[in-house]
Amino acid sequence: MRELYQNVFQALKNISFNELWPGFSSFTFALYNDEEIYLEDRVIPYDASFIGNTSILYNGEFIAIWKVEHPEQENPLILASNIVHEMFHAFQYDNQETRFPNNLVMLDYPNSLENYQLKSQENKILVQAYKEKGKHKKSELFQKFVAIRKKREALIGEMIHCEYLTETTEGMAEYVGTKALSYLAPELFEERMEKYLNILSNPSVTFFDIRRMSYYTGTVLCLVLDDLGSLFVHPIGETTETVFELAEKQIETHDLAYVEMNADQQLEEVYQQYLNSKIHAFDDFFKKPHSKTEGSYQICGYDPMNMLKKDNQILCTHFIMLNDESDHKRFIKGPVVVELTPGATDQVITYYQLT
């Protein structure tokens, strides 16, 4: 682990952070496992505040953290780019970024096949715009992308703003990390982009995980805007507008009203697989021996990448943190299902654990 840390540390020294984003600079980072935490100058016992791959406030400063279970399997250059992503979150927190989505609200994303069909079309046009070399044609494709988004806005209302927020906070961080990878290893950058473009182009169950998909759309969107010379780069913490909203203001809005939807039969089939997979996940959980705990709790911590919601229940495959009436926090290792107060997004009346 120490060797991996040093290799990542050296890679990060070769990056000009200010070129990735104005004002951005390197932050402290840590690699950890279930037993130890590796910092630049020391190794300390595991601390329970280290959860997931993210940025946390530690000893009064925001730091980037990444869990590594098998150091020998890690590519230090890819890991360095991922650390840059988490450092950008530290940069956002340090600058009082406010544009974080409410991930619990996003679990109620509407199951509208029409919206998903439009989003699939939108993703494919974004991929075309990325691949297009001519700036005029790229600009035309981006205008079409905007037109479809405006149609989706009318269709699902405020919920689409959760996408824009995720593209801004997570997609922007992934964009910065991916740009770092292009400096460190251009061939690895191309491999990553091929993967992201393939995810956006081909329907799969992942497509319906809107939060996860926003990492990819946000990354590609920012790279397209780079090519167009769009002035979407901005001081973090000084605006409430999302990346898409900042870019949209610079696009001619005439002739954007008409959008012809091309229904994708394969997407309809995958959509049914997605709905069935959610039902199966909950059925599979409740078929196993489990305990039931009733009470009054508030969700105070979770892993947004590993949550599913069906009706008023949320399946958390990784973990959930609940605050009880005595202000005592409970860390519950997943899989766990929490049952919400009807109409609430974070108030829990029951949770179920496997026994």
Side-chain angles (χ1 to χ4, degrees):
M1 185 81 100
R2 175 52 67 192
E3 181 182 358
L4 176 63
Y5 189 102
Q6 286 305 121
N7 288 337
V8 172
F9 186 83
Q10 288 303 316
L12 292 171
K13 287 178 66 175
N14 294 324
I15 295 173
S16 174
F17 284 79
N18 192 63
E19 288 183 14
L20 298 176
W21 195 276
F24 184 32
S25 59
S26 180
F27 284 74
T28 298
F29 77 95
L31 304 181
Y32 75 98
N33 54 33
D34 291 333
E35 289 79 39
E36 297 175 318
I37 298 168
Y38 285 74
L39 295 156
E40 180 184 355
D41 57 351
R42 65 194 187 281
V43 180
I44 59 176
Y46 175 73
D47 182 313
S49 63
F50 284 67
I51 304 173
N53 306 320
T54 186
S55 171
I56 63 170
L57 187 63
Y58 182 71
N59 287 344
E61 66 170 327
F62 289 107
I63 69 170
I65 67 170
W66 196 272
K67 187 172 186 179
V68 177
E69 295 180 343
H70 304 287
E72 70 284 355
Q73 297 178 12
E74 294 284 342
N75 183 315
L77 298 181
I78 292 177
L79 182 53
S81 74
N82 293 336
I83 292 294
V84 171
H85 174 122
E86 306 307 344
M87 284 183 174
F88 195 78
H89 285 322
F91 176 60
Q92 289 169 318
Y93 294 141
D94 227 19
N95 286 275
Q96 290 80 53
E97 175 66 271
T98 61
R99 296 170 295 176
F100 292 97
N102 186 324
N103 296 305
L104 297 176
V105 169
M106 207 165 183
L107 290 173
D108 289 319
Y109 192 86
N111 284 324
S112 162
L113 183 56
E114 182 183 358
N115 173 60
Y116 287 132
Q117 288 280 15
L118 286 167
K119 182 166 178 59
S120 175
Q121 193 172 332
E122 172 187 297
N123 287 353
K124 290 173 182 177
I125 289 170
L126 184 61
V127 170
Q128 290 178 41
Y130 176 81
K131 291 180 175 179
E132 177 59 49
K133 301 302 180 185
K135 190 169 182 179
H136 179 72
K137 180 63 175 176
K138 190 185 289 279
S139 180
E140 286 183 344
L141 287 165
F142 185 70
Q143 289 184 45
K144 194 172 181 181
F145 171 84
V146 172
I148 298 175
R149 287 216 152 173
K150 302 310 289 183
K151 188 173 181 69
R152 291 205 302 117
E153 277 185 9
L155 188 64
I156 65 172
E158 184 62 25
M159 185 61 79
I160 202 170
H161 195 62
C162 289
E163 292 181 52
Y164 300 166
L165 289 170
T166 310
E167 285 178 348
T168 299
T169 52
E170 294 293 352
M172 203 158 58
E174 187 65 8
Y175 154 76
V176 170
T178 299
K179 279 183 69 174
L181 187 60
S182 73
Y183 299 151
L184 293 171
E187 70 284 359
L188 294 177
F189 166 79
E190 294 297 338
E191 286 180 17
R192 175 177 291 185
M193 291 310 302
E194 183 178 353
K195 173 186 173 183
Y196 287 7
L197 297 178
N198 184 60
I199 290 171
L200 293 178
S201 300
N202 299 293
S204 69
V205 172
T206 303
F207 171 82
F208 302 97
D209 185 342
I210 299 300
R211 185 183 188 278
R212 189 182 301 272
M213 288 297 292
S214 295
Y215 280 63
Y216 309 128
T217 57
T219 301
V220 180
L221 172 60
C222 289
L223 289 169
V224 168
L225 294 175
D226 267 350
D227 292 341
L228 290 174
S230 175
L231 302 177
F232 78 100
V233 176
H234 54 279
I236 302 299
E238 294 187 14
T239 181
T240 59
E241 291 182 294
T242 64
V243 165
F244 174 69
E245 289 166 334
L246 289 168
E248 180 194 1
K249 291 194 302 185
Q250 302 178 54
I251 298 296
E252 292 290 334
T253 57
H254 60 274
D255 298 330
L256 290 186
Y258 178 71
V259 175
E260 181 179 355
M261 186 177 74
N262 301 314
D264 183 341
Q265 181 63 38
Q266 185 183 358
L267 183 69
E268 290 189 34
E269 294 171 3
V270 178
Y271 176 61
Q272 288 303 317
Q273 292 173 21
Y274 160 70
L275 295 178
N276 292 337
S277 70
K278 285 180 66 172
I279 294 170
H280 176 75
F282 280 88
D283 286 349
D284 186 60
F285 177 91
F286 283 109
K287 283 177 184 175
K288 298 173 182 175
H290 58 272
S291 62
K292 177 180 179 181
T293 304
E294 296 180 337
S296 179
Y297 311 96
Q298 183 174 29
I299 298 174
C300 59
Y302 52 86
D303 177 2
M305 300 294 276
N306 293 284
M307 301 172 76
L308 282 175
K309 187 172 185 180
K310 184 172 73 73
D311 301 325
N312 67 329
Q313 292 182 331
I314 303 174
L315 170 61
C316 310
T317 57
H318 189 189
F319 74 91
I320 192 80
M321 289 181 66
L322 302 177
N323 207 16
D324 64 22
E325 291 178 307
S326 302
D327 202 28
H328 175 259
K329 290 181 173 58
R330 303 183 181 199
F331 177 90
I332 307 169
K333 186 175 174 59
V336 55
V337 169
V338 296
E339 188 168 316
L340 302 173
T341 302
T345 57
D346 64 352
Q347 300 297 317
V348 173
I349 53 175
T350 308
Y351 65 85
Y352 304 87
Q353 290 176 277
L354 297 184
T355 55

